[in-house]
Amino acid sequence: NNGVSINIRTNPIVGGGYVSNVVAATYNPGFLGQAFHYSTDAINTGGTTSVGTNDYYATLGVRPDLQFGSNVNFSVAYWIRLPQGYGVGPEYGGGGDLPFFTDAKGSEGNSGYVFAPAYAYGTANPNPGINNDPTAWLGCWSFTIYGGGNGIRIYGNNAGAYPGTINDGNWHHLVHVFDRVAGTAVTYLDGRLNFGVKQAGTTLTSAGNINTGLPATIGQDPTGLYGEFGSADIDELGVWRKALTPLEAASIYVAAATGNLSYDYVDISKLTVQSLPSSQIKLTWAFGTLQAAGNVQGTYTNVTGAVSPYMNSATAGRMFYRVAY
């Protein structure tokens, strides 16, 4: 999926309004090749409210392959480099949960998927207080998966022998794996299993349908106006419509660390039909629902129980197939 680089500027002091422009993307040296650099300038507008004033990010649009409904397994991997000290406090400019990658309006805890730094000292809430102790989550990874007000929020923990902190100014690799059938959410940091702590919500399964209908976005929320100061470099963002195995998750890290990473991209609209010697046909497709009709103009109906690759006996006359998503 191709991204479009956007800059949004606002002036809340003189009455609001914003200007949005497509701009040339900004790149920094990445872990492999170039990395996309994003940033948001934000101000506190009183109490625990804030607004972005000068935001650079990328939008991927509303993509069917980046929507996971209520039962699609998926995995998200990326290299991320946060400024040293990100999220520690006002002396570092703050740093809340400005998203790495999301389709949720308003970042963490809202409907959709969000991958972001854990919220510690941010723009909207410079001191979250004793009941949400920021010192436990300083500079850690986090994610939320929500739908209809239900779901789960997980923060990496900066304690223990292998903490989840990523704000040392160096590159770190994260893989988040969601098995909707088993109801499990697992995170790997730099090739190793990294345990997080549930901050809010109940279970992954409780999220249900997480589709928002909003653009998948890198470095901001889908509105481009999320009011948390921050910046980062992100590289090699990959999304799979499957739950990666521990070996696959570790292999992505090792391959990149040794300079051998390459992704295979699948044309999501491609439906392949193959004739077999057994008078059968074999149909394969990336995702979606297989449909069939006796006439090219339809009416098309779902093929019951069809999972790619799908084997079917050849029929007399003609049968037309398509994939709906």
Side-chain angles (χ1 to χ4, degrees):
N1 291 315
N2 293 321
V4 177
S5 184
I6 303 291
N7 172 230
I8 284 185
R9 295 176 180 267
T10 64
N11 193 338
I13 297 175
V14 295
Y18 65 90
V19 176
S20 176
N21 293 299
V22 176
V23 295
T26 299
Y27 298 100
N28 281 332
F31 191 86
L32 293 172
Q34 290 183 317
F36 177 64
H37 179 77
Y38 63 83
S39 64
T40 285
D41 295 327
I43 60 171
N44 186 294
T45 52
T48 58
T49 62
S50 59
V51 63
T53 58
N54 186 24
D55 310 341
Y56 290 88
Y57 64 100
T59 178
L60 302 177
V62 181
R63 299 295 306 163
D65 50 329
L66 297 177
Q67 300 179 57
F68 308 107
S70 60
N71 58 2
V72 177
N73 295 341
F74 67 102
S75 305
V76 176
Y78 49 90
W79 287 90
I80 195 74
R81 178 170 58 190
L82 289 170
Q84 185 171 9
Y86 185 95
V88 170
E91 65 271 28
Y92 288 92
D97 56 349
L98 182 66
F100 304 142
F101 179 56
T102 187
D103 70 346
K105 180 180 179 180
S107 192
E108 293 195 313
N110 293 290
S111 291
Y113 51 83
V114 183
F115 305 94
Y119 200 105
Y121 294 97
T123 306
N125 200 349
N127 186 3
I130 192 170
N131 293 324
N132 186 21
D133 180 10
T135 62
W137 325 116
L138 292 178
C140 292
W141 58 264
S142 71
F143 68 78
T144 69
I145 307 293
Y146 272 78
N150 299 309
I152 192 167
R153 181 196 293 241
I154 301 292
Y155 281 3
N157 190 350
N158 68 10
Y162 190 54
T165 48
I166 55 174
N167 67 339
D168 57 2
N170 297 316
W171 283 105
H172 292 281
H173 190 251
L174 283 160
V175 184
H176 307 282
V177 180
F178 303 96
D179 188 325
R180 315 293 291 283
V181 176
T184 57
V186 178
T187 292
Y188 300 86
L189 173 59
D190 295 336
R192 297 174 56 182
L193 184 65
N194 193 254
F195 294 101
V197 178
K198 184 171 71 174
Q199 267 292 287
T202 54
T203 64
L204 175 65
T205 303
S206 70
N209 188 347
I210 63 173
N211 291 348
T212 66
L214 299 175
T217 308
I218 300 170
Q220 250 292 338
D221 82 346
T223 69
L225 298 170
Y226 188 59
E228 286 295 338
F229 176 91
S231 65
D233 297 319
I234 188 168
D235 199 4
E236 301 298 330
L237 172 64
V239 180
W240 292 258
R241 293 176 66 86
K242 60 173 285 187
L244 295 176
T245 67
L247 178 59
E248 289 171 329
S251 296
I252 297 168
Y253 168 74
V254 171
T258 57
N260 296 314
L261 180 64
S262 64
Y263 292 150
D264 291 327
Y265 295 92
V266 178
D267 181 353
I268 65 170
S269 64
K270 187 174 182 180
L271 172 65
T272 301
V273 182
Q274 180 183 3
S275 296
L276 303 178
S278 58
S279 297
Q280 288 184 311
I281 56 173
K282 178 181 179 181
L283 299 98
T284 57
W285 61 99
F287 76 98
T289 302
L290 183 67
Q291 296 183 332
N295 186 293
V296 70
Q297 295 179 338
T299 303
Y300 285 85
T301 58
N302 294 347
V303 179
T304 303
V307 178
S308 179
Y310 176 70
M311 312 286 288
N312 196 10
S313 298
T315 59
R318 295 181 177 178
M319 184 64 69
F320 298 87
Y321 293 93
R322 72 181 186 184
V323 174
Y325 54 86

